[in-house]
Amino acid sequence: MRYLLLLIIVVPAAEIGFLLLSGKAIGVWPTIVLIILTGVLGAYLAKREGLQTIRKAQEQLRMGQIPGEAVLDGICIMIGGILLLTPGFLSDIFGFLLLFPPTRKPVKFLMINALRKRIEKGNIRIIK
């Protein structure tokens, strides 16, 4: 619940602060152009990475493997794309980090650890 409060109050306030600083430093129109540019670039990158991930998952399924890593990649790409479409520079930075495979690895590691902990606690059950 604390993290939800952080997301709802602190993150938008920080985004507004950075947008105001950017508007003051480089001007209003360049700031607006940067916001639109990162949104368009983010949508393109999310589509490209998403299609690659779908192809990788299909290939793993054809080989009889479970596409676990591809699913985690897809989740990261989806979240990254949403963050890039959200106006603001902080969300754009985190969105780009989630779209590029080298910077996505630490996030996937954290996701796997979180899932393991929930499975060990019994919050998630795996049915075979």
Side-chain angles (χ1 to χ4, degrees):
M1 196 64 169
R2 285 182 239 153
Y3 298 117
L4 185 61
L5 183 66
L6 178 76
L7 284 173
I8 292 173
I9 296 173
V10 176
V11 173
E15 290 281 12
I16 291 169
F18 276 110
L19 287 172
L20 290 173
L21 284 173
S22 173
K24 188 175 181 180
I26 63 173
V28 173
W29 290 111
T31 301
I32 292 172
V33 169
L34 275 174
I35 291 170
I36 293 170
L37 184 68
T38 57
V40 170
L41 182 63
Y44 168 75
L45 288 173
K47 179 181 177 184
R48 188 187 76 184
E49 290 293 319
L51 289 173
Q52 285 179 354
T53 301
I54 289 172
R55 279 189 225 111
K56 186 167 65 171
Q58 288 173 339
E59 183 179 318
Q60 288 174 341
L61 286 170
R62 270 193 296 267
M63 296 170 84
Q65 300 172 345
I66 297 174
E69 190 166 335
V71 170
L72 291 176
D73 280 332
I75 292 169
C76 289
I77 291 166
M78 181 186 70
I79 294 170
I82 291 169
L83 288 173
L84 282 164
L85 291 175
T86 304
F89 295 123
L90 293 175
S91 60
D92 290 346
I93 290 168
F94 289 112
F96 279 120
L97 289 175
L98 288 173
L99 286 184
F100 295 118
T103 55
R104 195 177 1 190
K105 284 184 182 181
V107 175
K108 290 190 319 188
F109 178 75
L110 292 172
M111 291 170 68
I112 289 170
N113 283 340
L115 283 171
R116 278 193 184 127
K117 286 179 184 175
R118 294 189 85 188
I119 290 170
E120 288 171 2
K121 286 182 179 178
N123 295 341
I124 296 176
R125 292 184 188 169
I126 298 177
I127 302 171
K128 295 181 183 182

